[in-house]
């Protein structure tokens, strides 16, 4: 193998371990309202994200306008690390390679929630008293906004 090829191979190998910025949680606003559209101040909104490591959590409360605002989160990961996370995720039971980027809103007993906004996964867990979205699979650039409407359950 020529010296030039060895140098190029060495540079490529080193670049595999240089950390690059990765958006692990998108910029997002969560609006929490009641059934007539009035903001629900002081509602707890939690954001969780993980990318090949234990999930990180961040919690906020809505303001008087019913909004909780989250800035994007950027971490540094090498190309090798990114490749390893994707391979490990495919081999894992879940078989999913997206970066988890979830937002949840709690609600009291006897209530449920409706979720407006575009997300890959949306679900309401009534026994657990929370509604949740996951932005995994959506573009990492841009800003997202979701509305959670908390309403009384009807029998």
């Amino acid at each position: 193998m020529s010296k030039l090829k060895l140098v190029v191979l060495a540079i490529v190998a080193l670049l595999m371990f240089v950390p690059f910025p990765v958006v692990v949680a998108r910029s997002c606003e969560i609006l929490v309202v009641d059934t007539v559209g009035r903001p629900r101040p002081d509602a707890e909104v939690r954001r969780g994200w993980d990318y090949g490591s234990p999930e990180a959590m961040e919690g906020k409360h809505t303001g008087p306008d019913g909004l909780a605002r989250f800035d994007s989160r950027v971490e540094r990961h090498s190309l090798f690390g990114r490749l390893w996370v994707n391979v490990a995720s495919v081999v894992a039971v879940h078989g999913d390679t997206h970066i988890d980027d979830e937002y949840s809103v709690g609600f009291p007993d006897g209530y449920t929630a409706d979720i407006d906004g575009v997300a890959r996964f949306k679900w309401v867990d009534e026994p657990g008293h929370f509604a949740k979205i996951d932005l995994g699979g959506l573009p990492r650039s841009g800003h997202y906004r979701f509305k959670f409407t908390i309403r009384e359950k009807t029998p």
Side-chain angles (χ1 to χ4, degrees):
M1 194 179 276
S2 72
K3 276 187 164 184
L4 178 61
K5 286 183 181 178
L6 285 174
V7 169
V8 170
L9 185 60
I11 290 171
V12 169
L14 284 174
L15 286 177
M16 290 295 290
F17 295 95
V18 173
F20 294 96
V22 177
V23 175
V24 293
R26 296 153 183 85
S27 172
C28 191
E29 286 182 351
I30 304 294
L31 174 64
V32 183
V33 298
D34 64 15
T35 54
V36 293
R38 288 185 302 245
R40 290 185 62 118
D42 206 35
E44 185 179 16
V45 180
R46 300 196 53 80
R47 169 168 72 173
W49 67 94
D50 86 53
Y51 182 69
S53 60
E55 184 175 37
M57 296 293 290
E58 176 183 14
K60 291 189 176 191
H61 288 267
T62 57
D65 56 359
L67 280 171
R69 293 174 179 86
F70 295 90
D71 294 329
S72 65
R73 305 269 315 185
V74 177
E75 293 180 0
R76 298 181 66 78
H77 294 278
S78 68
L79 293 174
F80 178 78
R82 293 171 75 176
L83 177 66
W84 175 252
V85 166
N86 285 326
V87 169
S89 295
V90 168
V91 173
V93 175
H94 298 297
D96 199 353
T97 61
H98 76 275
I99 297 174
D100 292 326
D101 184 5
E102 301 174 340
Y103 298 81
S104 65
V105 174
F107 49 84
D109 194 23
Y111 285 77
T112 189
D114 298 315
I115 305 169
D116 293 324
V118 176
R120 186 169 155 194
F121 303 106
K122 299 182 204 178
W123 62 98
V124 177
D125 183 359
E126 290 183 0
H129 307 300
F130 68 88
K132 194 175 212 179
I133 56 172
D134 184 349
L135 303 186
L138 295 176
R140 300 201 180 291
S141 60
H143 181 77
Y144 294 88
R145 184 177 172 122
F146 293 89
K147 181 170 82 173
F148 288 73
T149 303
I150 309 299
R151 61 178 171 79
E152 281 190 78
K153 277 197 307 192
T154 51

